[in-house]
């Protein structure tokens, strides 16, 4: 939030959703590549693409909620 204010970027639900999307894509790729392929417990090797997509969706929803709350508190 401080970085967005210093960069003169708006803090609202749309910006939160976009930042959640970017962060979610990074996490989705890292989980797919690092965790699912190299995890020592074999049950994590068999996760499908829905695992990454649900993480992406959760990051977007979280970003929207945080952006809306911060916007409401600073308005």
């Amino acid at each position: 939030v401080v970085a967005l204010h210093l960069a003169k970027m708006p803090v609202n639900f749309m910006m939160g959703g976009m930042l959640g999307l970017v962060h979610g894509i990074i996490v989705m790729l890292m989980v797919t590549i690092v965790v699912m392929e190299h995890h020592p417990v074999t049950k994590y090797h068999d996760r499908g693409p829905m695992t990454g997509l649900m993480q992406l969706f959760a990051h977007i929803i979280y970003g929207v909620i945080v952006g809306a709350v911060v916007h409401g508190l600073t308005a």
Side-chain angles (χ1 to χ4, degrees), residues 1 4-5 17 40 42 47 51 55 64 72:
V1 172
L4 290 175
H5 282 296
T42 57
R47 302 290 180 204
T51 303
Q55 288 178 354
V64 167

Side-chain angles (χ1 to χ4, degrees), residues 27-59:
V27 170
M28 181 178 65
L29 290 172
M30 294 302 294
V31 165
T32 302
I33 294 168
V34 176
V35 175
M36 290 173 59
E37 291 182 5
H38 303 293
H39 201 280
V41 180
T42 57
K43 73 177 183 177
Y44 293 111
H45 292 263
D46 298 328
R47 302 290 180 204
M50 288 305 290
T51 303
L53 290 176
M54 286 295 107
Q55 288 178 354
L56 177 62
F57 182 68
H59 274 86

